[in-house]
Amino acid sequence: IDIKATLKAWKNRPPVVSDDIGHWNDIFSWRQYYHQKIVEVYTALENQSGMPDGSDHQMSAMNQQNALIGQQNSAATMVVYASLARKHGLSGSAQEWLARVHTVPSVPMS
């Protein structure tokens, strides 16, 4: 599965202020679920081992990278939605989504 292409398509279609925020809430919630599943699948694959041809290290690195992509896109999605909520005057919702960024594992905070 080419998850990078799907995530790139999502990134290339950000919401605009004139869009209905309820519609985007549903979309971003679904995307968060999808990101969570990406991380779960690739973390589980990373934890499996025993490839007889010695390709464990290469597969493990690829699985780690794909899991990290899911985590990074999850955090980016939260920030984009928080920005949209703020532009719609929903500062409480924006703060809730920004607070969720800190719950995403392995996302460096600076």
Side-chain angles (χ1 to χ4, degrees):
I1 298 174
D2 187 12
I3 61 169
K4 292 179 184 178
T6 300
L7 297 175
K8 184 177 181 180
W10 289 352
K11 190 181 244 183
N12 289 334
R13 176 47 176 106
V16 292
V17 177
S18 61
D19 290 341
D20 178 38
I21 194 160
H23 171 75
W24 279 102
N25 183 47
D26 293 342
I27 290 173
F28 281 127
S29 294
W30 185 85
R31 288 180 183 180
Q32 286 304 109
Y33 174 79
Y34 188 81
H35 293 135
Q36 179 184 2
K37 291 302 173 189
I38 290 171
V39 172
E40 287 176 10
V41 166
Y42 284 108
T43 300
L45 287 173
E46 181 184 343
N47 293 333
Q48 293 176 353
S49 62
M51 301 289 268
D53 62 357
S55 61
D56 271 349
H57 181 68
Q58 184 179 6
M59 289 299 293
S60 179
M62 185 177 74
N63 291 334
Q64 285 176 349
Q65 180 184 16
N66 285 331
L68 186 58
I69 288 170
Q71 292 167 336
Q72 291 170 339
N73 278 278
S74 178
T77 296
M78 291 176 188
V79 171
V80 169
Y81 186 80
S83 175
L84 178 66
R86 183 184 50 82
K87 290 176 184 176
H88 278 271
L90 302 170
S91 59
S93 180
Q95 289 175 345
E96 286 176 26
W97 278 83
L98 288 175
R100 292 181 190 180
V101 172
H102 299 286
T103 66
V104 178
S106 300
V107 176
M109 299 293 163
S110 55

